[in-house]
Amino acid sequence: MLSADLAIVSAPDTEQGWDLRWVELQTFTSLVSLIYTLHRAGAELWPELGERAFWSKPPHGNDWLHATKAWMAPERGSILLEQDPWSQPTRADFEAARHWFGVTVTEPQALRLRAGKLERTDEDGHVHPVPHIANRLILHEAAQADAVKRMLSSATVTWHSHPAWYYRINKGVMSDLPLPQDQRCARGDRWRDLGLPASALVAKACQSYAGKSVLLDPDADALDGLPDPQSWVVQPRFSSAPLLQAHDGAPLHGEIRCVIALPKDGAEPWIVCRLARMTRGPMASANGWSGLPGEGAVPVYAPPD
């Protein structure tokens, strides 16, 4: 599975005045359950949305819900694993995943390994086998991370979004992509290869998330002084295009995320979810949402036939 983010940027030289720009790749997928919830709620208010899709055709002739559950939580007893899940700003994702996919939201300390099998203990002290994990855990942030790593690596369990994917598919991948010359990215120690002044660049820690560890206005000294510069990616700065106005007149900016399933059986990849994250500022991040009108996540539907 893969999540790919595209910014909608100002492009005065184009006929439409805007363009799309790759922002990052990553592997978190739990947001799909919340977007499905918003889709169902929207269809209650506007029934015509019920026939619209924010996904491409699911495999094997399944409907979206059955196909996505089979992708994320195929086994009875599947869990969604996260550290302190009910304290996270993404709690709504976990609530929706529990509802639609039947997963039990679980913390690492509720798990134990016995005879190579993973088990969880519920609040009543009952023990349940864990055959499959839909992962949201960033392994190095877990309490007693080394012990958790040993336990999970020794368990006979299947995965949706294995913890290793977080370290392999992240912002740093952008420096390996054959992007157009004016969009090329570089690791922090090679930023001068881009041929742009520091003021025209943005630096991000490769393993950062939710808008953390981002330098929006670096100078050359800041880029030269990056800690462990190979763990940073440097991108050309772009100007986010205002798309809409909120009810109070504030401009709204949008970033599109496509969550893509990569089937193990060799079938064609399919888009599980298209969504837009709308913000009142130019950087899309859930941590940057203020709660003011117009901000939030919305499905991006395919146009009518």
Side-chain angles (χ1 to χ4, degrees), residues 164-182:
W165 279 53
Y166 178 78
Y167 303 99
R168 295 177 181 176
I169 308 295
N170 56 42
K171 295 176 177 65
V173 173
M174 297 294 294
S175 63
D176 299 323
L177 298 182
L179 297 170
Q181 179 66 27
D182 62 345

Side-chain angles (χ1 to χ4, degrees), residues 15-271:
E15 180 179 351
Q16 69 272 16
W18 60 270
D19 204 349
L20 296 175
R21 183 73 57 87
W22 288 109
V23 177
E24 68 180 57
L25 302 176
Q26 45 108 333
T27 58
F28 286 155
T29 62
S30 58
L31 185 60
V32 301
S33 56
L34 178 61
I35 298 303
Y36 185 66
T37 303
L38 295 175
H39 163 67
R40 293 287 295 266
E44 290 285 328
L45 296 173
W46 303 285
E48 59 271 24
L49 291 180
E51 301 301 318
R52 303 269 65 84
F54 57 85
W55 57 84
S56 63
K57 185 178 179 180
H60 310 304
N62 289 325
D63 62 38
W64 185 91
L65 188 55
H66 284 88
T68 306
K69 182 176 181 180
W71 173 65
M72 184 173 286
E75 302 283 345
R76 183 178 179 86
S78 295
I79 67 169
L80 189 154
L81 186 63
E82 173 64 295
Q83 184 73 42
D84 301 322
W86 308 126
S87 300
Q88 301 287 354
T90 49
R91 172 175 179 161
D93 300 350
F94 309 147
E95 295 275 15
R98 180 168 64 176
H99 175 78
W100 295 115
F101 305 137
V103 295
T104 300
V105 181
T106 305
E107 298 185 68
Q109 54 266 37
L111 300 177
R112 69 176 182 178
L113 187 68
R114 186 166 66 176
K117 303 290 186 180
L118 205 59
E119 299 176 336
R120 69 171 179 87
T121 303
D122 64 23
E123 295 178 352
D124 298 322
H126 299 133
V127 176
H128 306 270
V130 175
H132 179 84
I133 298 176
N135 187 60
R136 267 287 313 203
L137 181 69
I138 298 173
L139 198 53
H140 67 265
E141 294 188 349
Q144 299 179 329
D146 289 341
V148 172
K149 182 178 180 179
R150 288 193 298 270
M151 175 180 63
L152 295 177
S153 62
S154 301
T156 301
V157 64
T158 58
W159 291 90
H160 171 94
S161 192
H162 191 282
W165 279 53
Y166 178 78
Y167 303 99
R168 295 177 181 176
I169 308 295
N170 56 42
K171 295 176 177 65
V173 173
M174 297 294 294
S175 63
D176 299 323
L177 298 182
L179 297 170
Q181 179 66 27
D182 62 345
Q183 299 179 31
R184 285 194 307 116
C185 304
R187 294 289 177 142
D189 57 336
R190 303 291 299 271
W191 70 269
R192 285 186 171 83
D193 291 354
L194 299 178
L196 295 170
S199 59
L201 301 171
V202 174
K204 304 175 184 178
C206 293
Q207 294 177 16
S208 62
Y209 59 93
K212 299 177 181 178
S213 299
V214 177
L215 300 180
L216 291 177
D217 298 296
D219 55 21
D221 288 341
L223 294 179
D224 289 334
L226 290 172
D228 188 15
Q230 290 190 352
S231 68
W232 289 71
V233 66
V234 179
Q235 298 174 284
R237 179 193 297 275
F238 55 76
S239 177
S240 178
L243 304 177
L244 302 167
Q245 280 191 337
H247 293 314
D248 60 0
L252 296 174
H253 303 259
E255 186 173 290
I256 297 172
R257 172 168 294 178
C258 296
V259 181
I260 304 162
L262 308 174
K264 295 179 181 179
D265 60 6
E268 288 292 318
W270 65 287
I271 297 173

